Amino acid sequence: MMCHPPYKPPKFLQNGVAMTVYTALWGKRSWDINQYPEPLYHKKIFMGGQDVPIFGWVAIPENAHSTIVGTYGITGELETEWSLKLLGQKAYAQGYAVVLFDWRAHGKTAELSPTLTSDGLYEGEDFVRIAAAAAEMGCPKKFWFTGFSLGGQLALWGVKTAEDLLARNDEYLGLKNSDIAGGAVICPSLDSLRSLSYLVKRPFGKYLEAGIARNLKKLAWRIHDAHPGTIDPAAIERANSIWDFDKELVINQLGFDSVEAYYEASSALQILPQLAKPTLIVYAADDPLFHPAIIPDLEAACASNPVIDLLLTRYGGHVGYLSSKKCQRQAKDPDPWWAWNRVLQWLEQK
């Protein structure tokens, strides 16, 4: 288990909903307060699993020692995902090559392909293929997979898929098993079935779920317009919730007969015992998006797998983790972004 400074938020953010909302609003305006140099990103189209084109950014500093490959949560795109861009700036400044990408059906990737999401079932191979292509571009062959929220689930699948592909092959697209170092994720989605059922029964959850569903619908229309004839507009019209989005647009293409079966198959909680590479999971007990009943199962899974370090905190909200001034001083952090600072600290220890 890693040694880490304790997390303490400002007093007014000792509530998961407050932390989640405040960070989303404040972070959008203030995420680059430390003025880390903006990496000189090169735009790149990777070829993911099933030959799905994936749009990404690549930045390689001089004397880079390792490479971080990361993506974001359930909706978004690279241009606006400030938390991922923050990681890119901080990691680049510490000598990491950085590869950030729009995952399936998101951002510019959605313009390149009508392929919809699979919540990790195929995105895991995307991570590995992106790493292979990045290595050819000169990124150091010590790859760490990362993400937050649903992107954290994808990264965990990336760690598992890397082991599946490379353990039975001497090489895969020029990569060896040792080239994939492991993963580090913040507030990963672990059990969509339990969490979505929990979310829609709570006042804040209903509001948040409705907002995510609207963004998913916009995403579907964007794919429809970019790739005419690939998505039934009537199905998009019926997709008025996260559940309906997956029911109407996703599960049939993936071969599932129900949303329940899809969520059970893509759940990241079930794969934790199978991870064989060092993995950090940062998770807040007051995360308002995820069912609290998941926490004992998460603790048990991590306790039984020695490669996983679980950093479970009392506070933090959903991908919030703004630290108080006192917490910053104790941790010797340069900024209030406690979770990303712990991720980078953990990577240095590895």
Side-chain angles (χ1 to χ4, degrees):
M1 184 62 65
M2 69 179 292
C3 295
H4 63 87
Y7 172 65
K8 294 180 180 178
K11 287 186 178 180
F12 74 100
L13 295 180
Q14 292 181 356
N15 172 279
V17 172
M19 174 67 78
T20 302
V21 174
Y22 184 85
T23 305
L25 297 175
W26 184 81
K28 190 181 298 185
R29 300 190 305 269
S30 310
W31 65 272
D32 57 350
I33 53 177
N34 280 321
Q35 300 299 312
Y36 291 102
E38 181 73 20
L40 181 60
Y41 286 112
H42 299 276
K43 296 178 181 178
K44 170 73 174 178
I45 297 176
F46 300 96
M47 198 56 63
Q50 305 165 301
D51 294 327
V52 174
I54 307 288
F55 176 80
W57 296 345
V58 182
I60 309 174
E62 290 186 17
N63 304 314
H65 52 75
S66 313
T67 303
I68 290 176
V69 181
T71 195
Y72 44 81
I74 189 168
T75 59
E77 56 186 300
L78 284 181
E79 291 289 349
T80 58
E81 282 299 317
W82 59 265
S83 186
L84 195 63
K85 292 164 73 175
L86 170 67
L87 169 66
Q89 289 191 6
K90 292 170 72 67
Y92 185 87
Q94 293 187 28
Y96 292 89
V98 178
V99 182
L100 310 178
F101 67 95
D102 280 323
W103 62 287
R104 296 179 179 220
H106 292 72
K108 286 187 168 54
T109 293
E111 298 174 8
L112 298 171
S113 167
T115 304
L116 288 169
T117 55
S118 71
D119 288 5
L121 296 177
Y122 293 112
E123 287 86 356
E125 186 177 355
D126 293 343
F127 266 90
V128 181
R129 284 177 168 263
I130 287 169
E136 292 182 355
M137 296 177 67
C139 291
K141 285 186 175 182
K142 185 179 182 183
F143 288 94
W144 295 98
F145 296 161
T146 191
F148 52 84
S149 193
L150 187 51
Q153 175 167 307
L154 307 184
L156 292 171
W157 273 100
V159 175
K160 178 186 182 299
T161 304
E163 187 72 22
D164 293 344
L165 291 172
L166 294 165
R168 62 173 180 259
N169 299 294
D170 292 334
E171 279 194 1
Y172 180 78
L173 301 176
L175 291 176
K176 296 179 180 179
N177 196 10
S178 58
D179 294 333
I180 307 299
V185 298
I186 299 173
C187 301
S189 174
L190 296 170
D191 187 331
S192 297
L193 188 59
R194 274 193 286 182
S195 289
L196 188 55
S197 300
Y198 169 80
L199 189 66
V200 298
K201 293 176 182 177
R202 302 177 68 80
F204 171 74
K206 290 180 181 179
Y207 171 81
L208 185 61
E209 192 275 342
I212 294 172
R214 286 193 296 271
N215 286 330
L216 288 173
K217 196 159 187 164
K218 290 177 184 177
L219 178 155
W221 281 120
R222 184 173 178 179
I223 295 173
H224 171 274
D225 294 342
H227 308 277
T230 57
I231 299 183
D232 179 7
I236 301 176
E237 291 288 357
R238 294 191 297 268
N240 293 315
S241 67
I242 298 173
W243 184 280
D244 288 343
F245 177 87
D246 289 327
K247 178 182 177 181
E248 296 290 345
L249 303 174
V250 175
I251 62 171
N252 288 338
Q253 295 190 27
L254 296 175
F256 292 98
D257 58 8
S258 69
V259 177
E260 291 93 339
Y262 169 49
Y263 287 168
E264 289 172 2
S266 60
S267 164
L269 188 62
Q270 60 162 332
I271 67 174
L272 296 185
Q274 304 169 44
L275 299 185
K277 296 178 180 295
T279 302
L280 171 68
I281 299 175
V282 182
Y283 202 90
D286 69 348
D287 191 320
L289 269 70
F290 302 144
H291 200 304
I294 292 171
I295 293 174
D297 295 336
L298 170 62
E299 290 181 298
C302 294
S304 65
N305 188 340
V307 306
I308 302 176
D309 285 336
L310 173 62
L311 208 174
L312 178 64
T313 59
R314 179 180 179 183
Y315 303 116
H318 185 68
V319 198
Y321 279 109
L322 282 176
S323 57
S324 66
K325 292 291 186 182
K326 182 178 180 181
C327 181
Q328 290 174 52
R329 290 193 298 270
Q330 290 177 337
K332 298 180 180 179
D333 285 343
D335 51 49
W337 306 112
W338 188 87
W340 281 134
N341 289 328
R342 299 293 73 74
V343 166
L344 292 168
Q345 179 189 37
W346 181 83
L347 292 179
E348 287 301 310
Q349 292 174 357
K350 297 299 177 182

